[in-house]
Amino acid sequence: MAVVFQPIAPRPAPVKTEGLVPWVRANLFGDWKSSIATLAILALGIYYLPGFFGWAVANAVLTQDANLCQQARGVGACWAVVGEKFRLIVFGRYPYEQQWRPELATLILLALLVASCIRRFWKPWLALVWIVVVPAFFVLMGGGWFGLESVPTDQWGGLPLTIMLATFGIVLAYPLAIVVALGRRSKLPAIRSLCIVYIELVRGVPLISVLFMASFMFPLFLPVGKSPDVLLRVLVGITLFSAAYLAEVVRGGLQAIPKGQIEAAESLGLSYWQTQRKIVLPQALAMVVPGIMNSFIAIFKDTSLVTIVSLYELTGALGLALNSDADWRPFKIEGYLFITMIYFAFCFAMSRYSLWIEKQLNVSRTR
Amino acid sequence: MADRGPPKRRDWSWRSQAFRGLVYQLIAVGAVALGVWYLAQNTLANMAARGIQSGFDFLRTPAGFDIGESLIPYDALDPYWVAFGVGVLNTLRVAVIGVVLATILGTLLGVGRFSRNAILRGLCYAYVEFFRNVPVLLQLLMWYLILTDVLPPLSEAISIAGVLFLSNNGFKFPVPVWGLGQALAGVGGVLGIVLAWAYRRWAMRQFELTGRVRSLVLVPIGIVIAAATAGWIAGGAPTAWSIPRIDGFLTTGGATATPEFLAVLLGLVLYTSAFIAEVVRAGINSVSHGQVEAASSLGLTKGQSMRLVILPQALRVIIPPMTSQYLNLTKNSSLAVAIGYPDVVSIANTSLNQTGRAVECIAIIMAVYLTTSLSTAAFMNWYNKRAAIKER
């Protein structure tokens, strides 16, 4: 019998697990439930998206003409309102010929904020720069010095006010928060209870009640005849409010420092303040940067509340720009969408940074 | 002497830690007391100078303003304290409904982040990122604008099945006519819950004794439904409904959710659910994957391992941040003042403008929120303790 060589059939190639088709199969049509969900969402999208696209883009009016907008009402968006009222929405009632001042001041503030987010600049001199920039901002905005025309604070408004309230609210609250957080972990019962009462009292009430207090009660607190500026009062209110939240964030960092380090410092003969300054705080404060960032985002969003006590930051400035103008008032929703995008851009960028820095700071602990 | 620690120095010297601590505390307390005294003095002087009256006696005088919506009967002649009561009830109404809806929506969104379907996953992610990065006040204002400006007037209301009506006047829906049957059904339901709870305890004990598994979900639910139905039938099984009817500019029958209430509710629920979704996601993420694998190697189904293994462990991580989200929602309901929903802040604001008693009105707002916050925190701490790992 002659043995004839019979090649066996080659094995089929393994099922592809990479590439578009397998991804779609696994992620969109994994099982029957997933397939139904995919098809249902696609159907809804096909049904509704063209209408939305038509309203937002295809039929939208960009020419700054209230009559054209009025004709397109219900069919197309009137983005022209943003162009028409841009100055009023973004800068509030600040005098037009002086507008370079809020622009410059806000740019400086933003630049310093960005610099403060970079780890290389986390040095003691950064605090000094802040101490210089905070008054400089007020001088530039308020004027009255160096030949700058004086602009009362009730004319400040828009995005510069939003950024200012959020930034100063956090920056001024930061030292207070550290003191209160240390106090809450103090061994001295009287100091500890004072700090606990402060933190829990403030965290138990809404910001709006603090703002009401700032606008109605702070004037009563000062000696007869003296009434500080409303912006200053609100700033004090926001600072006291955010300090309580920030103190809890800082306390989280303090608690994460192993007790052995403090004991080691004590056995080396360091005093309480030396221990805190040289051992505990440098580690704890670096650890809580993501938490501080989250507080900053929260305060940035919460600044929109000051419109209730008639300060015209971004949300208030929009009402200011549109409520009194019968021609453009019907297109408030487009204005709202515009400032929604501004808020979203800021907050989303900050939350991404917070996630990124968290990973950076934990790099020694991940493997 | 076997036990001789370092001598405890309690002398009156700066070197003694105890003495220094005492001095520091005295200084701190003294400074705070001095500050408070200074502010109080100024406040009293200012009030005298401006002729502001103080005290809570105004609460007994007639309020003199109308309130748009109220859970209890109220008219403008009622005293201020009734008006504040209306405000507190309105705050609690929006907060309680909001917490329930936000929990449901947030949990669905959080679980949706783990879906095997990429579109669903993406949509949940986009929802969370969008809604939590836009100020809640802006969202409230936008919803209010949409509900009052974009929706058609009452005469052209959008009608769903002829019984639900949506217009710029609010949302109208039918309600059952209250009668003996409904009352008895309510009593039956409460009785059913007690019975179901007793059954559950008995079944759990039986399971621990004999290992026999009894239904712990369907049977209790069945007991509650059966008891409620029995009460309803005993009351004559009433089926009368009050259905809203629109004749031109007037409506009769049914119940209405005002645009203010809907805007506050929508804004708060959509905003808070984005945060709750993140809380739930973090909680589920915190349960290690080995647990899931161990559960499936023991033969538990996917649902069982979710219910018996993952959720009880995730719950421990979820409860504390969930508590603070509930508190945030309650506190954010104070923003209702911006769109005119008569919550306690709005009532206090009106009273403040009418009577000029800033200190008292703000104190009432703070007291209401502090009480709510502290009691919610206490309840959630109690629940948290129950859910925590029992350690020796």
Side-chain angles (χ1 to χ4, degrees):
Chain A
M1 253 183 63
V3 178
V4 180
F5 174 67
Q6 292 255 317
I8 53 170
R11 270 189 294 172
V15 179
K16 267 172 86 173
T17 54
E18 304 241 327
L20 187 65
V21 176
W23 184 88
V24 167
R25 192 172 292 156
N27 284 295
L28 298 183
F29 299 98
D31 51 13
W32 64 272
K33 277 184 270 182
S34 177
S35 307
I36 288 178
T38 306
L39 292 177
I41 294 170
L42 281 181
L44 283 178
I46 290 169
Y47 189 73
Y48 282 110
L49 274 186
F52 177 75
F53 179 79
W55 179 81
V57 182
N59 298 325
V61 179
L62 295 174
T63 355
Q64 288 171 24
D65 183 348
N67 291 328
L68 275 179
C69 277
Q70 200 58 254
Q71 282 164 18
R73 227 184 141 183
V75 186
C78 173
W79 299 119
V81 71
V82 173
E84 174 77 20
K85 299 286 179 186
F86 184 81
R87 206 191 74 77
L88 216 49
I89 295 175
V90 175
F91 292 101
R93 289 186 296 175
Y94 208 87
Y96 184 56
E97 60 279 6
Q98 301 287 330
Q99 198 172 298
W100 61 273
R101 282 159 56 183
E103 281 169 10
L104 182 66
T106 309
L107 275 182
I108 293 174
L109 205 58
L110 283 178
L112 186 55
L113 267 180
V114 171
S116 305
C117 287
I118 299 172
R119 271 180 99 185
R120 196 187 303 163
F121 297 135
W122 292 357
K123 298 275 158 59
W125 54 260
L126 192 65
L128 285 180
V129 177
W130 274 109
I131 292 174
V132 173
V133 163
V134 171
F137 181 90
F138 273 98
V139 170
L140 197 54
M141 288 287 283
W145 295 58
F146 310 114
L148 287 173
E149 199 182 309
S150 169
V151 180
T153 51
D154 59 346
Q155 294 190 5
W156 301 14
L159 191 58
L161 192 62
T162 296
I163 293 175
M164 179 209 122
L165 284 173
T167 313
F168 290 3
I170 286 289
V171 169
L172 300 177
Y174 192 54
L176 180 61
I178 294 174
V179 172
V180 174
L182 287 175
R184 189 168 182 172
R185 282 172 54 76
S186 160
K187 289 195 197 84
L188 309 174
I191 290 178
R192 194 173 57 230
S193 1
L194 280 178
C195 293
I196 291 178
V197 166
Y198 169 67
I199 291 176
E200 297 304 330
L201 209 64
V202 172
R203 277 160 37 104
V205 299
L207 174 59
I208 195 157
S209 62
V210 176
L211 290 179
F212 273 147
M213 223 174 117
S215 84
F216 293 114
M217 270 165 76
F218 282 8
L220 297 179
F221 284 164
L222 291 172
V224 178
K226 281 190 187 160
S227 178
D229 191 72
V230 64
L231 179 66
L232 207 62
R233 295 193 312 240
V234 165
L235 197 55
V236 169
I238 290 183
T239 305
L240 291 177
F241 184 77
S242 54
Y245 284 84
L246 217 50
E248 286 296 274
V249 172
V250 172
R251 185 167 72 107
L254 294 178
Q255 280 178 346
I257 305 295
K259 202 155 183 280
Q261 294 210 14
I262 297 162
E263 289 166 354
E266 271 171 4
S267 69
L268 283 175
L270 298 189
S271 73
Y272 174 79
W273 287 109
Q274 280 174 324
T275 314
Q276 302 301 335
R277 211 177 67 233
K278 291 175 195 271
I279 311 290
V280 177
L281 284 178
Q283 301 181 66
L285 293 184
M287 216 181 286
V288 297
V289 169
I292 294 174
M293 212 59 206
N294 291 341
S295 300
F296 186 65
I297 297 174
I299 285 295
F300 190 87
K301 286 184 292 178
D302 280 347
T303 53
S304 57
L305 267 62
V306 301
T307 164
I308 293 171
V309 290
S310 35
L311 276 178
Y312 299 104
E313 47 61 72
L314 210 45
T315 312
L318 183 80
L320 198 69
L322 293 183
N323 284 350
S324 54
D325 191 338
D327 285 347
W328 293 98
R329 195 171 46 206
F331 312 107
K332 207 171 174 183
I333 203 105
E334 285 88 341
Y336 273 140
L337 287 175
F338 171 64
I339 60 171
T340 299
M341 283 304 127
I342 297 182
Y343 277 114
F344 178 77
F346 273 94
C347 295
F348 187 67
M350 288 189 283
S351 73
R352 292 293 101 178
Y353 167 78
S354 169
L355 286 179
W356 175 80
I357 196 78
E358 196 172 351
K359 251 186 216 140
Q360 291 282 306
L361 294 170
N362 280 332
V363 84
S364 60
R365 259 170 269 163
T366 52
R367 58 198 80 192
Chain B
M1 292 279 252
D3 180 29
R4 205 169 58 183
K8 230 182 179 178
R9 290 174 53 129
R10 268 201 177 280
D11 51 356
W12 299 103
S13 127
W14 192 243
R15 285 205 199 144
S16 149
Q17 209 173 27
F19 177 69
R20 280 205 313 263
L22 196 68
V23 172
Y24 291 149
Q25 294 186 65
L26 282 177
I27 293 174
V29 173
V32 169
L34 206 68
V36 170
W37 179 80
Y38 175 72
L39 295 182
Q41 283 297 310
N42 281 337
T43 308
L44 289 178
N46 270 309
M47 281 177 155
R50 298 182 197 185
I52 302 176
Q53 290 174 321
S54 64
F56 286 94
D57 53 317
F58 78 99
L59 284 174
R60 258 181 256 136
T61 57
F65 54 87
D66 272 316
I67 299 178
E69 51 191 300
S70 168
L71 287 177
I72 51 176
Y74 169 84
D75 74 83
L77 289 175
D78 279 325
Y80 275 104
W81 67 266
V82 180
F84 275 103
V86 171
V88 172
L89 284 180
N90 277 336
T91 297
L92 288 180
R93 173 163 73 134
V94 80
V96 169
I97 300 177
V99 160
V100 172
L101 292 181
T103 310
I104 297 171
L105 183 60
T107 311
L108 289 178
L109 285 164
V111 174
R113 293 288 295 273
F114 294 96
S115 164
R116 286 172 59 189
N117 187 312
I119 300 187
L120 222 67
R121 243 178 6 235
L123 280 179
C124 290
Y125 171 77
Y127 175 95
V128 168
E129 288 301 330
F130 181 76
F131 278 95
R132 71 179 185 152
N133 279 322
V134 175
V136 60
L137 176 66
L138 191 55
Q139 297 189 27
L140 288 186
L141 291 172
M142 256 163 92
W143 284 118
Y144 188 56
L145 192 66
I146 290 174
L147 285 170
T148 52
D149 232 42
V150 177
L151 286 181
L154 189 60
S155 50
E156 300 157 26
I158 304 166
S159 149
I160 304 157
V163 287
L164 306 173
F165 295 97
L166 193 61
S167 70
N168 65 4
N169 226 322
F171 179 62
K172 299 194 184 303
F173 52 92
V175 283
V177 179
W178 188 252
L180 182 66
Q182 277 85 6
L184 283 180
V187 173
V190 172
L191 214 66
I193 289 171
V194 174
L195 277 176
W197 177 76
Y199 166 79
R200 233 186 108 98
R201 293 211 39 174
W202 174 79
M204 288 292 270
R205 218 171 22 244
Q206 285 293 305
F207 171 69
E208 276 161 17
L209 283 175
T210 63
R212 206 179 138 211
V213 184
R214 284 168 213 276
S215 166
L216 287 176
V217 180
L218 288 179
V219 174
I221 291 176
I223 292 176
V224 176
I225 291 176
T229 317
W232 180 65
I233 291 171
T239 49
W241 285 72
S242 166
I243 294 168
R245 191 185 301 279
I246 296 178
D247 311 310
F249 296 107
L250 288 170
T251 53
T252 47
T256 310
T258 60
E260 288 83 14
F261 174 74
L262 285 177
V264 174
L265 190 66
L266 260 178
L268 288 178
V269 166
L270 296 184
Y271 181 75
T272 315
S273 62
F275 286 89
I276 290 182
E278 281 302 272
V279 168
V280 169
R281 187 178 72 94
I284 294 178
N285 250 345
S286 74
V287 179
S288 71
H289 202 62
Q291 300 267 348
V292 185
E293 291 165 353
S296 62
S297 73
L298 282 174
L300 299 189
T301 66
K302 225 178 156 189
Q304 278 177 326
S305 90
M306 190 58 152
R307 195 158 48 85
L308 301 172
V309 178
I310 302 176
L311 275 185
Q313 299 186 67
L315 219 53
R316 287 188 199 118
V317 182
I318 288 174
I319 290 172
M322 196 76 126
T323 311
S324 60
Q325 289 311 325
Y326 290 168
L327 293 180
N328 280 347
L329 189 144
T330 311
K331 283 185 277 173
N332 281 338
S333 72
S334 61
L335 299 182
V337 65
I339 57 174
Y341 174 71
D343 76 323
V344 65
V345 176
S346 172
I347 302 282
N349 196 20
T350 314
S351 314
L352 193 160
N353 288 331
Q354 280 193 0
T355 61
R357 302 198 188 191
V359 181
E360 289 81 358
C361 289
I362 293 171
I364 291 177
I365 301 180
M366 290 191 160
V368 166
Y369 280 100
L370 269 180
T371 321
T372 328
S373 296
L374 294 181
S375 48
T376 311
F379 173 75
M380 290 306 273
N381 282 342
W382 168 80
Y383 185 62
N384 190 25
K385 225 170 250 165
R386 267 180 57 113
I389 305 174
K390 300 281 185 297
E391 276 176 302
R392 276 178 290 273

